[in-house]
């Protein structure tokens, strides 16, 4: 599909940047426009693949943001975006909407800009365009504490109510204890970009391609059209005789070899099973999905109709739905065979339940602290009037 991509806030912008990097390295043609919106000037300098003129600073005149971010305050994030909506609209005007099938807004839900400004941006897009608007939302880790969980629980409701589909990425599930936070994020963003671009970029070629069974943008959009929360599974295996991948693309590839000697059909079946049973972007009970879609991407010689059909049947049983679409994404010269599986409208998602509980606890704690503070201030004023130390 042809996509307009918008990153809101720090993490959202980094994800968009990685998507553009991965699509360039793999000669795909997905993001027709990449725009990033932020309240922090320093974060706007981070992307390597988003043109300078497509980086928008909002809230630089706002009393609390002043170009330094909103410090995790979701209310300020939303307010700033509402105040600067004309500027945001002008940036949308530069998108050639006839060139895109859908818009993807990427944001993290734990900070203040992504969680607050993200829903404002989405509402505006929905007002301006008829095309579907999808979101990619990063969920905060449990170790980050109550405030990010509260932001996420609040903003998740606004995201899900207003997008055509919400693809979730759970930082907790992808955190590695052996890495620094920075290394961890870089790896997670690569993994996420690989999944998003392999899925959404399927069937998009610069040159016309004649192949049977090619995945179509309308199939992907139909699977996403549930209005719910989605999760993506992925697995990849190197193609025999492919040149050793050097440099940047090698870092994106976390391929695992499958047993040699297996037939192409068995190889595909095994790969699709591995995609569903390995780490999903959002851990969930796959049988709770409403619809599913399989994309098989790799050199045409590796694609097998029989393999794809038997994998489709396996997912039909696994997910317990007849709504499973499957298609190929032939890529001449690709050095790996990859399977990506989209599980749409999943409802059994333990991490989202846990975030909601963490948010309720955090809200109770904040309410309790506020009540204690008010009581203390009252005591000070009534009992110790005149005894408060001045600041200077
Ligand atoms: N997956 C991933 N998560 C990130 C990354 N950077 C930050 N996060 C997560 O995002 C949340 C913080 O959100 P940010 O995007 O940094 O903040 P923001 O939306 O710009 O908002 P403010 O900083 O409050 O203005 C935390 O939950 C982090 O764990 C990243 O590169 N990748």
């Amino acid at each position: 599909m042809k996509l307009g991509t918008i990153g809101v806030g720090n993490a959202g912008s980094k994800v968009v940047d990685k998507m553009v990097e991965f699509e360039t390295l793999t000669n795909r043609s997905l993001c027709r426009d990449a725009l990033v919106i932020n309240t922090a000037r320093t974060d706007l300098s981070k992307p390597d693949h988003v043109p300078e003129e497509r980086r928008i600073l909002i809230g630089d005149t706002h009393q609390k943001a002043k170009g330094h971010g909103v410090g995790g305050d979701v209310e300020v994030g939303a307010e700033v975006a509402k105040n600067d909506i004309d500027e945001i609209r002008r940036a949308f005007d530069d998108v050639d909407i006839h060139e895109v099938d859908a818009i993807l807004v990427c944001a993290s839900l734990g900070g203040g800009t992504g969680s607050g400004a993200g829903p404002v941006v989405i509402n505006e897009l929905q007002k301006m365009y008829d095309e579907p608007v999808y979101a990619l939302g990063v969920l905060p880790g449990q170790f980050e504490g109550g405030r990010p969980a509260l932001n996420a629980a609040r903003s998740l409701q606004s995201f899900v109510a207003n997008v055509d589909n919400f693809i979730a990425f759970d930082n907790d599930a992808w955190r590695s204890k052996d890495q620094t936070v920075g290394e961890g994020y870089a790896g997670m963003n690569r993994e996420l970009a690989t999944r998003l671009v392999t899925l959404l970029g399927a069937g998009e070629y610069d040159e016309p391609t004649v192949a049977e069974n090619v995945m179509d943008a309308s199939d992907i959009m139909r699977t996403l059209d549930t209005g719910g929360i989605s999760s993506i599974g992925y697995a990849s295996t190197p193609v025999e005789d492919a040149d050793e991948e050097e440099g940047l693309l090698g870092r994106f590839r976390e391929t695992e070899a499958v047993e040699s000697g297996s037939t192409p059909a068995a190889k595909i079946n095994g790969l699709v099973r591995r995609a569903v049973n390995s780490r999903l972007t959002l851990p969930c009970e796959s049988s709770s999905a409403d619809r599913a879609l399989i994309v098989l991407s790799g050199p045409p010689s590796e694609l097998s109709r029989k393999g794809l059909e038997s994998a489709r049947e396996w997912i039909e049983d696994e997910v317990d739905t007849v709504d499973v679409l499957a298609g190929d994404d032939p890529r001449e010269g690709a050095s790996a065979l990859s399977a990506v599986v989209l599980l749409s409208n999943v409802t059994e998602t333990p991490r989202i339940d846990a975030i909601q509980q963490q948010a309720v606890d955090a809200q109770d704690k904040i309410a309790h602290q506020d009540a204690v503070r008010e009581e203390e201030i009252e005591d000070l004023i009534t009992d110790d009037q005149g005894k408060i130390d001045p600041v200077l």
Side-chain angles (χ1 to χ4, degrees), residues 9-11 14 38-39 69-72 108 110-114 138 140 144 169 171 185 188-189:
N10 172 35
K14 285 192 271 176
N38 214 325
T39 56
V70 300
S108 86
T113 304
V138 174
E144 293 180 52
F169 183 85
N171 270 1
Y185 285 155
M188 288 182 202
N189 297 347

Side-chain angles (χ1 to χ4, degrees), residues 252-324:
F252 274 95
R253 292 256 187 261
E254 296 242 336
T255 53
E256 245 180 66
V258 291
E259 352 43 283
S260 57
S262 60
T263 63
K267 195 167 162 183
I268 287 167
N269 205 321
L271 202 61
V272 170
R273 286 175 190 231
R274 187 145 61 79
V276 175
N277 291 324
S278 61
R279 192 161 35 168
L280 301 169
T281 56
L282 173 70
C284 63
E285 185 52 65
S286 56
S287 61
S288 72
D290 253 5
R291 295 180 190 165
L293 175 128
I294 312 168
V295 172
L296 200 65
S297 183
S301 59
E302 296 285 322
L303 304 173
S304 144
R305 189 168 196 155
K306 198 170 143 205
L308 193 61
E309 186 46 31
S310 77
R312 199 185 64 73
E313 281 167 15
W314 175 76
I315 292 207
E316 243 177 45
D317 284 346
E318 189 74 9
V319 176
D320 197 18
T321 169
V322 286
D323 224 333
V324 183

Side-chain angles (χ1 to χ4, degrees), residues 64-84:
K64 288 190 181 154
K66 292 184 186 151
H68 302 305
V70 300
D73 191 327
V74 56
E75 305 281 352
V76 179
E79 190 182 305
V80 155
K82 283 185 200 151
N83 290 350
D84 286 358

Side-chain angles (χ1 to χ4, degrees), residues 156-222:
L156 183 65
Q157 299 176 45
S158 318
F159 269 95
V160 175
N162 293 298
V163 288
D164 292 273
N165 198 288
F166 180 91
I167 302 171
F169 183 85
D170 174 21
N171 270 1
D172 250 5
W174 288 83
R175 203 159 70 91
S176 158
K177 294 191 179 61
D178 317 327
Q179 290 172 317
T180 64
V181 173
E183 284 167 356
Y185 285 155
M188 288 182 202
N189 297 347
R190 276 197 297 272
E191 294 282 353
L192 177 55
T194 303
R195 283 153 180 77
L196 290 171
V197 175
T198 311
L199 170 71
L200 302 174
E204 216 45 68
Y205 310 100
D206 288 334
E207 302 290 320
T209 302
V210 274
E212 262 187 286
N213 217 20
V214 171
M215 179 51 75
D216 203 63
S218 61
D219 291 339
I220 305 172
M221 286 157 80
R222 188 189 132 59

